[in-house]
Amino acid sequence: QSALTQPPSASGSPGQSVTISCTGTSSDVGGYNYVSWYQHHPGKAPRLMIYEVTKRPSGVPDRFSGSKSGNTASLIVSGLQAEDEADYYCSSYAGSSNWVFGGGTKLTVL
Amino acid sequence: QLQLQESGPGLVKPSETLSLTCTVSGGSISNSNYYWGWIRQPPRKGLEWIGSIYYTGSTYYNPSLKSRVTISVDTSKKQFSLKLTSVTAADTAVYYCARLGITATTYAFDFWGQGSLVTVSS
């Protein structure tokens, strides 16, 4: 199984919206509605932001949303805030009790 | 609140075995709604799923690491452990333990430890 493909960086000004993509194959992202997204501030534990493509755990602001089309999933962060600056990783179930992650995207709030 | 804490040596010599333990507090490791997993992040690279275990002992491993990985669980101690044999410098990474949902937060890692840096060097 290969890692999911994410852009290395993304940026936006406060208040703007940013979309981070996550591209896999029909064996992972395209084959299952089990894509999740994680926010990671260096030195801290990663935080689950989105699961099952579009669902938010309690406590996650509704500025964070997810979607999927074919083999590509997306994380949308609207109304950017300074505290959103972090690394973001996608993950997908890949069948046969296997999971795969993306390479990560560094989000910068300008 | 659920907490996970990794523990183990921070330095391992090449060709030796890396061993880490994750202690679960604030919740049950025997909860049938969850797996428990290990994920690592090499320096300046992305996350890599290593493997997962159910409280019954059923295990699932990344095919690329399967020949070198063993994950075990001790429900009486509320711990699960990782062993990675024949390590090389490429195994240098921050190792995270995490909880993996089966029903709620299906197939997502919803709680993570802070991570444990393991360096492979002589």
Side-chain angles (χ1 to χ4, degrees):
Chain A
Q1 56 196 34
S2 299
L4 306 176
T5 300
Q6 297 182 234
S9 63
S11 63
S13 299
Q16 289 187 332
S17 292
V18 170
T19 299
I20 298 172
S21 62
C22 170
T23 301
T25 69
S26 58
S27 296
D28 38 62
V29 174
Y32 305 93
N33 287 322
Y34 294 128
V35 175
S36 51
W37 289 90
Y38 304 87
Q39 179 188 66
H40 188 207
H41 289 105
K44 298 183 70 175
R47 178 189 181 189
L48 175 65
M49 306 301 284
I50 297 287
Y51 66 100
E52 292 180 47
V53 180
T54 62
K55 298 179 180 179
R56 274 189 313 276
S58 61
V60 173
D62 60 5
R63 303 184 293 102
F64 291 84
S65 60
S67 67
K68 190 184 85 166
S69 177
N71 296 336
T72 298
S74 297
L75 173 70
I76 304 98
V77 186
S78 57
L80 269 175
Q81 298 183 5
E83 60 262 35
D84 299 335
E85 185 162 296
D87 297 324
Y88 290 84
Y89 294 90
C90 62
S91 176
S92 175
Y93 180 63
S96 302
S97 298
N98 282 268
W99 281 261
V100 62
F101 282 89
T105 298
K106 181 178 180 58
L107 175 60
T108 301
V109 180
L110 302 171
Chain B
Q1 176 78 330
L2 187 75
Q3 291 189 340
L4 291 80
Q5 180 66 57
E6 304 90 351
S7 59
L11 181 64
V12 181
K13 290 182 168 55
S15 80
E16 295 190 345
T17 296
L18 179 160
S19 296
L20 291 172
T21 295
C22 182
T23 301
V24 179
S25 59
S28 174
I29 199 171
S30 301
N31 189 321
S32 61
N33 296 310
Y34 300 99
Y35 295 131
W36 304 89
W38 288 97
I39 299 107
R40 70 180 182 179
Q41 183 176 27
R44 297 171 298 282
K45 292 189 176 181
L47 298 171
E48 180 181 33
W49 173 71
I50 299 171
S52 298
I53 190 165
Y54 197 48
Y55 76 96
T56 58
S58 297
T59 51
Y60 313 93
Y61 300 134
N62 186 322
S64 68
L65 297 170
K66 188 173 184 177
S67 63
R68 298 193 293 129
V69 173
T70 301
I71 297 176
S72 58
V73 64
D74 186 333
T75 54
S76 66
K77 294 182 178 179
K78 301 185 70 175
Q79 295 177 333
F80 61 104
S81 299
L82 168 70
K83 289 189 186 300
L84 181 66
T85 63
S86 304
V87 298
T88 68
D91 295 309
T92 293
V94 176
Y95 286 77
Y96 296 96
C97 59
R99 189 178 77 170
L100 174 61
I102 300 175
T103 52
T105 61
T106 309
Y107 289 174
F109 298 88
D110 61 355
F111 277 95
W112 296 62
Q114 294 279 355
S116 178
L117 174 63
V118 179
T119 301
V120 178
S121 175
S122 55

